[in-house]
Amino acid sequence: MFERLGYVGPLLDVRNLRTTFSSDWGQKEALDGVSFTVSPREILCIVGESGSGKSVTALSLMGLLPRNGKVLNGEAFFEGRDLLKMKERELDEIRGGDMAMIFQDAISSLNPVFTIGNQLIEAVRAHSSVGRKEAREEALGILQRVGLSEPELVLERYPYALSGGMRQRVMIAMALAGKPKLLIADEPTTALDVTIQAQIMQLLRSLCEETDLSVILITHDIGLVAQMADRVIVMYAGQVVEQSDVQVLFNSPDHPYTQGLMQAVPSIYDDKARRLVAIPGTVPEHYQDIEGCRFASRCAYKVDECDLPQVLSYVASCESQMNFPHCVRCHRAARGELPPYGADERCTPVDVVAQISQAPAAGELKNETKGDTNGRRA
Protein backbone atom coordinates (compact mmCIF):
# COMPACT_ATOMS: atom_id res chain seq x y z
CA MET A 1 0.00 0.00 0.00
CA PHE A 2 2.78 2.42 0.86
CA GLU A 3 5.34 1.45 -1.77
CA ARG A 4 3.97 3.81 -4.41
CA LEU A 5 4.19 6.91 -2.20
CA GLY A 6 7.21 9.02 -2.96
CA TYR A 7 7.07 12.22 -0.94
CA VAL A 8 8.37 15.42 -2.49
CA GLY A 9 6.07 17.72 -0.56
CA PRO A 10 2.30 17.97 -0.35
CA LEU A 11 0.18 18.44 -3.43
CA LEU A 12 -2.54 19.99 -1.27
CA ASP A 13 -1.93 21.71 2.07
CA VAL A 14 -5.06 22.78 3.96
CA ARG A 15 -4.56 24.93 7.03
CA ASN A 16 -7.11 25.99 9.64
CA LEU A 17 -10.12 25.86 7.29
CA ARG A 18 -13.24 27.41 8.80
CA THR A 19 -16.56 27.51 6.94
CA THR A 20 -19.95 28.84 8.02
CA PHE A 21 -23.48 28.96 6.63
CA SER A 22 -25.82 31.88 7.18
CA SER A 23 -29.59 31.71 7.61
CA ASP A 24 -32.45 33.72 9.08
CA TRP A 25 -31.39 32.40 12.49
CA GLY A 26 -27.79 33.53 12.22
CA GLN A 27 -24.55 31.79 11.27
CA LYS A 28 -23.88 28.08 11.74
CA GLU A 29 -20.35 26.78 11.82
CA ALA A 30 -19.70 23.80 9.53
CA LEU A 31 -15.90 23.53 9.74
CA ASP A 32 -13.67 24.57 12.62
CA GLY A 33 -9.93 24.66 12.01
CA VAL A 34 -9.66 21.71 9.62
CA SER A 35 -6.06 21.05 8.56
CA PHE A 36 -4.52 18.24 6.50
CA THR A 37 -2.22 17.53 3.57
CA VAL A 38 -2.43 15.30 0.51
CA SER A 39 0.75 14.05 -1.13
CA PRO A 40 1.24 12.94 -4.75
CA ARG A 41 -0.25 9.48 -5.45
CA GLU A 42 -1.76 9.31 -1.96
CA ILE A 43 -5.29 8.12 -1.16
CA LEU A 44 -6.60 10.09 1.81
CA CYS A 45 -9.90 8.92 3.28
CA ILE A 46 -12.15 11.25 5.27
CA VAL A 47 -14.64 9.33 7.40
CA GLY A 48 -17.38 10.33 9.83
CA GLU A 49 -21.12 10.48 10.36
CA SER A 50 -23.45 12.62 8.30
CA GLY A 51 -23.15 16.19 9.50
CA SER A 52 -19.48 15.91 10.39
CA GLY A 53 -18.34 18.31 7.66
CA LYS A 54 -16.79 15.91 5.15
CA SER A 55 -18.61 17.13 2.04
CA VAL A 56 -18.41 20.77 3.14
CA THR A 57 -14.63 20.38 3.27
CA ALA A 58 -14.58 19.26 -0.37
CA LEU A 59 -16.98 21.97 -1.53
CA SER A 60 -14.95 24.64 0.28
CA LEU A 61 -11.78 23.55 -1.51
CA MET A 62 -13.50 23.45 -4.90
CA GLY A 63 -15.17 26.84 -4.43
CA LEU A 64 -18.59 25.24 -4.88
CA LEU A 65 -20.30 26.30 -1.65
CA PRO A 66 -23.92 27.48 -1.98
CA ARG A 67 -24.61 31.19 -1.75
CA ASN A 68 -25.17 31.11 2.00
CA GLY A 69 -21.84 29.34 2.58
CA LYS A 70 -18.62 31.21 3.21
CA VAL A 71 -15.03 30.34 4.06
CA LEU A 72 -14.22 32.64 6.97
CA ASN A 73 -10.64 31.65 7.56
CA GLY A 74 -7.89 29.34 6.41
CA GLU A 75 -5.53 28.54 3.58
CA ALA A 76 -5.58 25.78 0.96
CA PHE A 77 -2.37 25.60 -1.05
CA PHE A 78 -2.61 23.52 -4.22
CA GLU A 79 0.85 23.27 -5.75
CA GLY A 80 1.78 26.38 -3.82
CA ARG A 81 -1.24 28.48 -4.88
CA ASP A 82 -3.91 29.37 -2.33
CA LEU A 83 -7.25 28.18 -3.70
CA LEU A 84 -9.19 30.29 -1.21
CA LYS A 85 -7.70 33.54 -2.55
CA MET A 86 -8.28 32.80 -6.21
CA LYS A 87 -10.85 34.64 -8.28
CA GLU A 88 -13.62 32.69 -9.98
CA ARG A 89 -11.86 32.75 -13.34
CA GLU A 90 -8.67 31.34 -11.83
CA LEU A 91 -10.65 28.58 -10.11
CA ASP A 92 -12.37 27.69 -13.39
CA GLU A 93 -8.96 26.94 -14.88
CA ILE A 94 -8.26 24.44 -12.10
CA ARG A 95 -11.70 22.92 -11.52
CA GLY A 96 -12.22 20.02 -13.88
CA GLY A 97 -8.56 20.26 -14.83
CA ASP A 98 -5.90 19.83 -12.16
CA MET A 99 -8.63 19.27 -9.55
CA ALA A 100 -11.78 17.27 -10.23
CA MET A 101 -14.66 16.01 -8.11
CA ILE A 102 -17.04 13.06 -8.27
CA PHE A 103 -20.31 13.84 -6.55
CA GLN A 104 -22.49 11.51 -4.49
CA ASP A 105 -25.38 10.99 -6.89
CA ALA A 106 -24.35 10.42 -10.49
CA ILE A 107 -27.89 10.61 -11.90
CA SER A 108 -28.42 14.12 -10.52
CA SER A 109 -24.94 15.25 -11.60
CA LEU A 110 -25.46 14.31 -15.26
CA ASN A 111 -27.72 16.45 -17.48
CA PRO A 112 -30.72 14.29 -18.42
CA VAL A 113 -31.42 16.10 -21.73
CA PHE A 114 -27.97 15.60 -23.24
CA THR A 115 -26.30 12.37 -24.28
CA ILE A 116 -23.24 11.07 -22.47
CA GLY A 117 -21.24 11.92 -25.58
CA ASN A 118 -22.27 15.59 -25.55
CA GLN A 119 -21.34 15.96 -21.90
CA LEU A 120 -18.08 14.04 -21.98
CA ILE A 121 -16.83 15.66 -25.19
CA GLU A 122 -17.60 19.08 -23.70
CA ALA A 123 -15.55 18.17 -20.63
CA VAL A 124 -12.62 17.13 -22.81
CA ARG A 125 -12.69 20.30 -24.90
CA ALA A 126 -13.08 22.57 -21.87
CA HIS A 127 -9.49 21.88 -20.82
CA SER A 128 -7.78 21.28 -24.15
CA SER A 129 -7.57 22.88 -27.59
CA VAL A 130 -8.57 19.80 -29.60
CA GLY A 131 -11.39 19.76 -32.14
CA ARG A 132 -14.64 17.87 -31.73
CA LYS A 133 -13.44 14.83 -33.69
CA GLU A 134 -10.28 14.49 -31.63
CA ALA A 135 -12.27 15.08 -28.44
CA ARG A 136 -14.64 12.26 -29.38
CA GLU A 137 -11.74 9.86 -29.88
CA GLU A 138 -10.31 10.89 -26.53
CA ALA A 139 -13.72 10.42 -24.88
CA LEU A 140 -13.94 6.90 -26.28
CA GLY A 141 -10.51 6.12 -24.87
CA ILE A 142 -11.45 7.44 -21.43
CA LEU A 143 -14.63 5.33 -21.35
CA GLN A 144 -12.60 2.24 -22.20
CA ARG A 145 -10.13 3.16 -19.52
CA VAL A 146 -12.84 3.22 -16.84
CA GLY A 147 -14.05 -0.23 -17.83
CA LEU A 148 -16.97 0.41 -20.20
CA SER A 149 -16.69 -2.24 -22.90
CA GLU A 150 -18.84 -0.61 -25.62
CA PRO A 151 -17.96 3.10 -25.43
CA GLU A 152 -19.54 3.96 -28.81
CA LEU A 153 -22.95 2.87 -27.55
CA VAL A 154 -22.46 4.62 -24.21
CA LEU A 155 -21.69 7.93 -25.94
CA GLU A 156 -25.05 7.82 -27.75
CA ARG A 157 -27.11 7.12 -24.67
CA TYR A 158 -28.79 9.38 -22.15
CA PRO A 159 -28.03 9.04 -18.41
CA TYR A 160 -31.34 7.32 -17.61
CA ALA A 161 -30.47 4.46 -19.99
CA LEU A 162 -27.39 3.46 -17.98
CA SER A 163 -27.18 1.41 -14.80
CA GLY A 164 -25.97 2.98 -11.57
CA GLY A 165 -22.52 1.46 -11.92
CA MET A 166 -22.19 2.66 -15.51
CA ARG A 167 -23.26 6.20 -14.59
CA GLN A 168 -20.65 6.27 -11.84
CA ARG A 169 -17.99 5.15 -14.31
CA VAL A 170 -19.11 7.93 -16.65
CA MET A 171 -18.72 10.43 -13.79
CA ILE A 172 -15.19 9.15 -13.19
CA ALA A 173 -14.50 9.46 -16.92
CA MET A 174 -15.68 13.09 -16.91
CA ALA A 175 -13.45 13.79 -13.92
CA LEU A 176 -10.48 12.23 -15.74
CA ALA A 177 -11.15 14.21 -18.92
CA GLY A 178 -9.11 17.14 -17.64
CA LYS A 179 -6.20 14.90 -16.56
CA PRO A 180 -6.44 15.89 -12.89
CA LYS A 181 -3.69 15.64 -10.32
CA LEU A 182 -6.20 15.54 -7.45
CA LEU A 183 -9.55 13.73 -7.53
CA ILE A 184 -12.10 14.31 -4.77
CA ALA A 185 -14.57 11.42 -4.60
CA ASP A 186 -17.57 12.23 -2.39
CA GLU A 187 -19.34 8.95 -1.55
CA PRO A 188 -18.69 7.57 -5.07
CA THR A 189 -20.31 4.20 -4.30
CA THR A 190 -23.58 5.45 -2.80
CA ALA A 191 -26.51 3.15 -3.70
CA LEU A 192 -24.28 0.70 -5.58
CA ASP A 193 -24.22 -2.99 -4.72
CA VAL A 194 -21.09 -4.45 -3.18
CA THR A 195 -19.82 -6.02 -6.42
CA ILE A 196 -20.03 -2.77 -8.40
CA GLN A 197 -18.58 -0.91 -5.42
CA ALA A 198 -15.54 -3.20 -5.45
CA GLN A 199 -15.05 -2.59 -9.18
CA ILE A 200 -15.26 1.21 -8.79
CA MET A 201 -12.77 1.19 -5.91
CA GLN A 202 -10.37 -1.05 -7.80
CA LEU A 203 -10.61 1.35 -10.72
CA LEU A 204 -9.65 4.33 -8.54
CA ARG A 205 -6.72 2.46 -7.02
CA SER A 206 -5.51 1.38 -10.46
CA LEU A 207 -5.61 4.98 -11.66
CA CYS A 208 -3.46 6.04 -8.71
CA GLU A 209 -0.93 3.32 -9.45
CA GLU A 210 -0.79 4.07 -13.19
CA THR A 211 -0.56 7.85 -12.89
CA ASP A 212 0.40 10.47 -10.32
CA LEU A 213 -3.25 10.89 -9.34
CA SER A 214 -4.03 11.70 -5.70
CA VAL A 215 -7.46 10.94 -4.26
CA ILE A 216 -9.50 12.34 -1.38
CA LEU A 217 -12.14 9.69 -0.69
CA ILE A 218 -15.10 10.77 1.45
CA THR A 219 -17.09 7.89 2.87
CA HIS A 220 -19.11 6.43 5.75
CA ASP A 221 -17.90 2.91 5.02
CA ILE A 222 -15.19 1.75 7.44
CA GLY A 223 -14.49 -1.35 5.34
CA LEU A 224 -13.95 0.83 2.29
CA VAL A 225 -11.48 2.93 4.26
CA ALA A 226 -9.51 -0.17 5.24
CA GLN A 227 -9.41 -1.30 1.61
CA MET A 228 -8.47 1.99 -0.03
CA ALA A 229 -6.72 4.39 2.31
CA ASP A 230 -3.09 5.21 2.79
CA ARG A 231 -4.02 7.71 5.48
CA VAL A 232 -7.27 8.42 7.32
CA ILE A 233 -8.88 11.53 8.79
CA VAL A 234 -11.79 11.04 11.19
CA MET A 235 -14.11 14.06 11.39
CA TYR A 236 -16.78 14.84 13.96
CA ALA A 237 -18.88 17.99 14.32
CA GLY A 238 -16.74 20.04 11.94
CA GLN A 239 -13.41 19.08 13.48
CA VAL A 240 -10.68 16.55 12.79
CA VAL A 241 -10.70 14.30 15.87
CA GLU A 242 -8.08 11.75 14.78
CA GLN A 243 -5.70 11.16 11.90
CA SER A 244 -3.06 8.58 11.11
CA ASP A 245 -2.09 6.03 8.50
CA VAL A 246 -4.63 3.27 7.96
CA GLN A 247 -2.68 0.51 9.73
CA VAL A 248 -2.16 2.46 12.94
CA LEU A 249 -5.70 3.81 13.00
CA PHE A 250 -7.35 0.40 12.61
CA ASN A 251 -5.01 -1.42 14.98
CA SER A 252 -5.00 1.19 17.75
CA PRO A 253 -7.67 3.90 17.39
CA ASP A 254 -7.36 6.32 20.30
CA HIS A 255 -10.31 8.70 20.13
CA PRO A 256 -13.50 7.30 21.71
CA TYR A 257 -15.45 8.29 18.60
CA THR A 258 -13.09 6.37 16.31
CA GLN A 259 -13.30 3.37 18.62
CA GLY A 260 -17.08 3.61 18.51
CA LEU A 261 -17.06 3.57 14.71
CA MET A 262 -14.88 0.45 14.72
CA GLN A 263 -16.98 -1.37 17.30
CA ALA A 264 -20.15 -0.72 15.29
CA VAL A 265 -18.80 -2.66 12.29
CA PRO A 266 -19.64 -6.39 12.09
CA SER A 267 -17.13 -8.93 10.81
CA ILE A 268 -17.44 -12.52 9.64
CA TYR A 269 -14.52 -13.28 11.97
CA ASP A 270 -16.38 -12.06 15.09
CA ASP A 271 -16.73 -14.27 18.12
CA LYS A 272 -20.33 -15.37 18.65
CA ALA A 273 -20.39 -13.57 21.99
CA ARG A 274 -19.45 -10.23 20.48
CA ARG A 275 -22.15 -7.60 20.50
CA LEU A 276 -22.06 -4.59 18.20
CA VAL A 277 -21.82 -1.37 20.17
CA ALA A 278 -23.92 1.54 18.91
CA ILE A 279 -22.81 5.12 19.56
CA PRO A 280 -25.66 6.75 21.52
CA GLY A 281 -27.18 10.02 20.33
CA THR A 282 -26.46 12.02 17.18
CA VAL A 283 -24.09 14.73 16.01
CA PRO A 284 -25.15 17.97 17.79
CA GLU A 285 -26.65 20.60 15.49
CA HIS A 286 -25.24 23.78 17.06
CA TYR A 287 -21.81 22.43 17.87
CA GLN A 288 -20.18 25.82 17.47
CA ASP A 289 -21.61 26.68 20.91
CA ILE A 290 -19.75 23.79 22.58
CA GLU A 291 -16.50 25.04 24.14
CA GLY A 292 -15.11 21.66 25.14
CA CYS A 293 -15.10 18.26 23.45
CA ARG A 294 -17.96 18.07 20.97
CA PHE A 295 -18.25 14.31 21.45
CA ALA A 296 -18.44 14.51 25.26
CA SER A 297 -22.24 14.14 25.46
CA ARG A 298 -21.95 10.73 23.73
CA CYS A 299 -18.70 9.57 25.32
CA ALA A 300 -18.47 6.89 28.02
CA TYR A 301 -15.16 8.30 29.28
CA LYS A 302 -16.28 11.87 29.93
CA VAL A 303 -14.76 13.73 32.89
CA ASP A 304 -14.91 17.38 33.96
CA GLU A 305 -11.77 18.14 31.90
CA CYS A 306 -13.70 17.32 28.73
CA ASP A 307 -15.59 20.61 29.11
CA LEU A 308 -12.34 22.45 28.36
CA PRO A 309 -11.21 23.20 24.76
CA GLN A 310 -9.54 20.23 23.07
CA VAL A 311 -6.63 20.45 20.65
CA LEU A 312 -5.25 17.98 18.13
CA SER A 313 -2.28 16.39 19.92
CA TYR A 314 0.38 13.93 18.78
CA VAL A 315 0.25 10.37 20.09
CA ALA A 316 3.95 9.75 20.67
CA SER A 317 3.60 6.04 21.46
CA CYS A 318 2.44 5.09 17.95
CA GLU A 319 4.85 4.63 15.09
CA SER A 320 3.66 4.80 11.51
CA GLN A 321 5.14 2.83 8.63
CA MET A 322 5.54 6.07 6.68
CA ASN A 323 6.17 8.35 9.68
CA PHE A 324 2.69 9.83 9.38
CA PRO A 325 1.82 11.67 12.59
CA HIS A 326 -0.88 10.03 14.70
CA CYS A 327 -2.94 12.84 16.20
CA VAL A 328 -6.02 12.79 18.40
CA ARG A 329 -8.31 15.56 19.70
CA CYS A 330 -8.76 14.22 23.23
CA HIS A 331 -6.78 15.14 26.35
CA ARG A 332 -7.26 11.75 27.97
CA ALA A 333 -6.45 9.74 24.85
CA ALA A 334 -3.30 11.76 24.16
CA ARG A 335 -2.08 11.02 27.70
CA GLY A 336 -2.90 7.32 27.37
CA GLU A 337 -5.51 7.36 30.13
CA LEU A 338 -8.22 5.50 28.18
CA PRO A 339 -8.46 1.69 27.99
CA PRO A 340 -6.74 0.34 24.89
CA TYR A 341 -9.02 -0.56 22.02
CA GLY A 342 -10.20 -4.15 22.34
CA ALA A 343 -9.49 -4.41 26.08
CA ASP A 344 -12.91 -6.05 26.43
CA GLU A 345 -12.36 -9.57 25.08
CA ARG A 346 -15.93 -9.69 23.73
CA CYS A 347 -15.07 -6.78 21.45
CA THR A 348 -11.53 -7.77 20.54
CA PRO A 349 -10.81 -6.20 17.15
CA VAL A 350 -9.49 -8.22 14.26
CA ASP A 351 -7.06 -6.89 11.70
CA VAL A 352 -9.59 -5.39 9.31
CA VAL A 353 -6.92 -4.28 6.88
CA ALA A 354 -5.48 -7.79 6.64
CA GLN A 355 -8.93 -9.31 6.19
CA ILE A 356 -9.77 -7.07 3.29
CA SER A 357 -6.41 -7.61 1.64
CA GLN A 358 -7.16 -11.36 1.68
CA ALA A 359 -10.62 -10.91 0.18
CA PRO A 360 -11.24 -11.56 -3.56
CA ALA A 361 -9.93 -8.73 -5.72
CA ALA A 362 -12.37 -6.48 -7.53
CA GLY A 363 -11.24 -7.95 -10.85
CA GLU A 364 -12.15 -11.44 -9.63
CA LEU A 365 -15.55 -10.21 -8.55
CA LYS A 366 -16.02 -8.63 -11.94
CA ASN A 367 -15.42 -11.94 -13.70
CA GLU A 368 -18.04 -13.63 -11.58
CA THR A 369 -20.77 -11.16 -12.53
CA LYS A 370 -21.42 -10.57 -16.17
CA GLY A 371 -23.74 -7.92 -17.53
CA ASP A 372 -24.84 -6.43 -20.83
CA THR A 373 -24.33 -2.85 -21.93
CA ASN A 374 -27.28 -1.69 -19.82
CA GLY A 375 -25.67 -3.06 -16.69
CA ARG A 376 -28.22 -5.90 -16.23
CA ARG A 377 -26.89 -9.10 -14.74
CA ALA A 378 -27.01 -12.16 -16.91
Side-chain angles (χ1 to χ4, degrees):
M1 180 177 297
F2 297 98
E3 289 80 1
R4 57 190 174 76
L5 299 181
Y7 287 155
V8 293
L11 175 69
L12 177 69
D13 186 359
V14 180
R15 306 175 185 175
N16 197 33
L17 184 62
R18 185 168 175 239
T19 300
T20 63
F21 289 89
S22 58
S23 67
D24 294 337
W25 297 273
Q27 285 193 336
K28 179 179 179 180
E29 182 180 77
L31 299 178
D32 178 21
V34 172
S35 300
F36 61 89
T37 62
V38 182
S39 296
R41 307 183 74 184
E42 179 182 19
I43 299 178
L44 173 71
C45 283
I46 303 179
V47 66
E49 293 174 88
S50 295
S52 294
K54 307 183 302 298
S55 296
V56 174
T57 300
L59 294 175
S60 298
L61 296 177
M62 296 292 292
L64 296 175
L65 290 170
R67 291 184 178 181
N68 65 330
K70 183 179 181 181
V71 177
L72 290 186
N73 188 35
E75 298 171 313
F77 293 99
F78 179 76
E79 294 188 317
R81 302 172 62 193
D82 192 349
L83 297 171
L84 305 182
K85 293 182 179 179
M86 290 185 181
K87 297 180 180 179
E88 196 69 19
R89 181 175 296 179
E90 294 176 292
L91 277 175
D92 284 340
E93 295 177 357
I94 293 180
R95 285 186 299 222
D98 290 339
M99 289 179 62
M101 185 169 177
I102 304 171
F103 297 92
Q104 291 187 23
D105 188 3
I107 189 63
S108 62
S109 300
L110 293 168
N111 193 321
V113 301
F114 290 102
T115 65
I116 298 299
N118 284 332
Q119 299 178 65
L120 185 53
I121 290 172
E122 179 185 11
V124 172
R125 298 188 67 187
H127 296 278
S128 64
S129 57
V130 299
R132 185 170 182 84
K133 183 177 180 180
E134 292 84 356
R136 178 182 173 83
E137 292 300 318
E138 187 170 338
L140 289 171
I142 297 173
L143 289 178
Q144 287 181 323
R145 188 179 178 188
V146 299
L148 292 170
S149 58
E150 297 182 329
E152 296 86 357
L153 293 179
V154 174
L155 282 183
E156 302 303 322
R157 294 192 171 176
Y158 290 87
Y160 73 85
L162 304 180
S163 68
M166 295 178 75
R167 285 195 294 265
Q168 199 60 271
R169 290 174 187 269
V170 169
M171 288 299 300
I172 296 174
M174 294 184 68
L176 295 177
K179 301 178 177 62
K181 299 176 182 177
L182 175 64
L183 178 63
I184 302 176
D186 187 2
E187 297 282 356
T189 57
T190 298
L192 299 180
D193 65 56
V194 66
T195 303
I196 302 301
Q197 171 180 295
Q199 295 172 14
I200 297 296
M201 290 299 100
Q202 181 61 31
L203 171 62
L204 289 179
R205 178 162 288 283
S206 298
L207 291 172
C208 288
E209 293 172 350
E210 294 169 3
T211 67
D212 289 331
L213 180 68
S214 301
V215 175
I216 297 177
L217 177 62
I218 298 171
T219 183
H220 296 91
D221 191 335
I222 292 293
L224 199 61
V225 172
Q227 178 187 16
M228 292 294 297
D230 296 312
R231 191 158 50 92
V232 186
I233 289 176
V234 182
M235 290 191 67
Y236 182 80
Q239 296 177 331
V240 175
V241 296
E242 189 163 6
Q243 62 176 331
S244 181
D245 76 57
V246 65
Q247 296 283 353
V248 169
L249 192 80
F250 274 79
N251 291 329
S252 57
D254 280 321
H255 198 281
Y257 177 63
T258 311
Q259 293 183 7
L261 292 178
M262 302 292 187
Q263 291 175 352
V265 177
S267 169
I268 61 174
Y269 298 93
D270 282 343
D271 186 272
K272 292 182 179 180
R274 184 196 171 194
R275 300 183 64 182
L276 297 182
V277 181
I279 303 175
T282 59
V283 180
E285 290 190 9
H286 301 287
Y287 45 71
Q288 70 270 18
D289 299 327
I290 301 174
E291 294 185 4
C293 175
R294 296 179 177 182
F295 185 66
S297 63
R298 307 172 68 185
C299 183
Y301 304 113
K302 179 184 177 183
V303 295
D304 291 341
E305 186 183 13
C306 297
D307 294 327
L308 300 175
Q310 309 283 310
V311 295
L312 205 59
S313 304
Y314 289 102
V315 181
S317 60
C318 290
E319 294 184 1
S320 163
Q321 295 185 28
M322 287 293 293
N323 295 319
F324 288 131
H326 184 185
C327 303
V328 61
R329 191 182 294 272
C330 175
H331 292 323
R332 301 194 67 195
R335 294 196 299 261
E337 295 178 0
L338 302 184
Y341 178 53
D344 185 342
E345 61 181 8
R346 293 171 302 172
C347 300
T348 301
V350 293
D351 192 338
V352 181
V353 179
Q355 286 181 18
I356 292 180
S357 65
Q358 295 169 3
E364 296 172 0
L365 291 172
K366 183 176 181 181
N367 292 333
E368 295 173 1
T369 305
K370 297 180 180 180
D372 61 10
T373 310
N374 289 315
R376 296 189 297 267
R377 292 186 180 181

